[in-house]
Structures are given as C-alpha cells and as structure tokens.
Amino acid sequence: MFDILTSHHQPTLPAVAKSKLLQFYNSSKSGMGMLRKVKEQSRQSGKGDAEARSSSGNRLVSTDRVPKRSMDLLELQGVIKPRNRQRIVVLGGPRVGKSSIIRRFLGEEFVETYEPTSEDFHRKLFHVGGEAYQVDLLDAAGERNFPAKRRLSILTGDIFLLVFSLDDRESLIEACDLLAEIKEAKAKLLKKSPVVPVVICGNKVDQRREVSRSEVTALLGDESAYYIETSARDGSGLDGAFMELAVVGGLPVETSPTLHQAVSLLTYHSLCVNTRGRRRWSRTRGLGAPCAAVDPLARRPSFTSDLKMVLGSSAKHSKPEGCQIQ
C-alpha cells in the first residue's frame, strides 16, 4: 500500500523510513480514507504525473545558471524560518481570472488568451529586511469537481484568495460557497471557529458588471474577509489585494510586486548562501533593498506529504484518531 501511495511522487526510501511512515498512516484511518479519495480523484481527472508540472507547460526559466533542484531542498531549507513560509490557495470558478492574478503576483504580464488551468503550483522567494520568505501559490482550479482533493488543498492553505468575476453572477455564488467550505474545513480541523485569512477579489472591474458592490457585500456577509475589486488586465486594485494578502498572512507588505525588485534565482541564491555553501546571510548584502525571485523548479508536494502535514496540525489540537478531515 505504501509503495502505491508514493510511487509517483517520492523517491525510494530506506526500509526504516518506510516502516515509520507506514506506521504513521496506519494509525489514522480517516487520513488513509482521505488519501484514497484524493488518489482516486487524481486518476479520474486524467492528470497523472502532469500534476507536478505547470498546466500551461511554458513556465519561463532564466537562462542564467540555476541550481538543479528546488531551492527549498538545498541551502535555503535552513535559512527560511518556518513562520516565514506561507501557502496561498487560490480558488474560484472558471474564467474569472485566477491565473492572470497569479501571473501578476509573479511579476509577469497579462496574457489575453484564455487557457484552462488544471492545477498550477508556484513559489516566490523574498529577501526583505535581512530575512528570507517563501510564498507558495496553489491554483486549485482543477479540483473544482473533486471535493476530497479540494478539501485537502484547503486544509494545507495558510492564506486564501477567492476570485470571482463581476460580470458573472454565478461565479459570485460559487465564491460564497467556497468561503463557507473553507471556514467549515478549518473549524473541523482545529475543533474551533478560527479567523481564516481570506481576501476576495471581484475581478474584471474594467468590464461591464453584472453585480453591484452592495450586492456582493450583502451576499458575502462576512466582515472578516477583505473584499476588493480588481482588474488583472490593467492591474487596477491588485496592489491593494496583494498588500492585504501580506497583512492577513503575517508577511511583509514588500511582497507586493511593486514594492520589491525582481532578481534572478542565482542572484537570490548569492544573497542567502556564500560561495562555500554555508547556510548564513551575507552581512554586506543582507540589509539591501527588498527583492524576490521565482523558483522555476518548485513543484507541489505530494498528496502524501500534504496529508501528513494536515494530520500533524490536527494532532496539536486533538487526538490523532479524532481528526475529522473527510
């Protein structure tokens, strides 16, 4: 069973590590049930190994020399503090502009051609005030029809960006349903009603709108969720949305694209690790201007790793056997 769960996502492990992980999953029937559902829905979606790759297949990679593995697997693993690692889960209906907003956050230009996203995972690394930050963005668009996979993505999220289109009333209704699902999932995991960091974007404000601002706020009915109207096409409202994502997630506001300099991955690497590969900051460069680099080699952790993280989080609040995540 262990080999089936990990064969497509992880390299072969030593026998001792296998044994420990096998004992962990056997101790949680609810976790195994969740993982089975996720695996089954993954096969049904027909993505297979393609889930680990960008759906567009044309992610830009710098021509500069870059490390051969994702940065978090190398020296930066010991540089970025756990509290500085955040995952933003992006949810919303089709054709509302989720991928375009993500591109803007990554420093890319707006693309006019629409291309459906099955699932996409991005990582942006920041250097602000002498500290390193890691922001993962998970576009879970392909999980719209797979509740178990979507629930797992929600449970692993630290911050949530809900997107709907102002020219599509149905997308607003879907965003309201997703907001309720996020709160329910987090409350069930933590055994309480937590304050969930959520930013809601009413996108396509530059086009003819079908719903008014007052109607949106009335339907959302949640004062704790920050609402802003944006346009991924011309960029209006996006600075405010990105800054609010930082505020609610405990990140520096300099993570907003207009407040930091974009650098290559090689340059970022030199800021974090000296030429000998030691895990320490360069004292001469550590207090420079805020900058960031996109890690083109980043891939979403396996479902097995995500589930392990969720179960570990639940164990802090309740007994493992009482974890209700399905």
Side-chain angles (χ1 to χ4, degrees), residues 113-287:
T113 305
Y114 173 74
E115 184 176 350
T117 304
S118 56
E119 177 187 72
D120 223 339
F121 183 85
H122 305 271
R123 174 167 295 152
K124 194 167 184 178
L125 303 165
F126 297 89
H127 179 207
V128 180
E131 284 200 62
Y133 295 85
Q134 173 183 307
V135 177
D136 293 343
L137 297 102
L138 172 62
D139 183 353
E143 301 171 2
R144 187 166 179 257
N145 298 319
F146 301 96
K149 289 181 64 181
R150 185 176 66 248
R151 178 63 61 91
L152 182 59
S153 294
I154 289 173
L155 291 175
T156 61
D158 301 301
I159 313 167
F160 296 90
L161 177 62
L162 291 180
V163 185
F164 72 93
S165 178
L166 289 167
D167 64 354
D168 183 358
R169 190 181 303 274
E170 290 300 319
S171 69
L172 171 59
I173 301 301
E174 184 167 345
C176 293
D177 293 339
L178 286 168
L179 179 61
E181 183 178 352
I182 291 169
K183 291 184 175 181
E184 179 187 0
K186 288 294 188 180
K188 203 169 185 180
L189 177 67
L190 303 177
K191 301 300 180 182
K192 61 180 181 180
S193 298
V195 177
V196 183
V198 179
V199 174
I200 303 173
C201 285
N203 196 36
K204 301 186 181 182
V205 69
D206 58 320
Q207 300 184 27
R208 182 177 180 179
R209 61 191 303 158
E210 186 176 320
V211 292
S212 64
R213 176 181 283 271
S214 58
E215 185 178 1
V216 172
T217 54
L219 283 174
L220 290 174
D222 186 355
E223 298 180 357
S224 65
Y226 182 84
Y227 171 66
I228 187 169
E229 296 184 347
T230 62
S231 170
R233 183 193 299 271
D234 60 28
S236 61
L238 289 180
D239 279 346
F242 295 146
M243 287 184 186
E244 190 62 26
L245 281 172
V247 171
V248 300
L251 295 167
V253 294
E254 288 86 354
T255 53
S256 181
T258 58
L259 298 180
H260 64 258
Q261 178 185 1
V263 298
S264 69
L265 194 61
L266 183 61
T267 300
Y268 183 89
H269 185 270
S270 69
L271 291 172
C272 303
V273 183
N274 67 3
T275 55
R276 295 184 180 178
R278 294 173 185 170
R279 300 174 182 179
R280 67 178 179 87
W281 288 101
S282 169
R283 294 182 180 179
T284 59
R285 298 182 180 180
L287 298 178

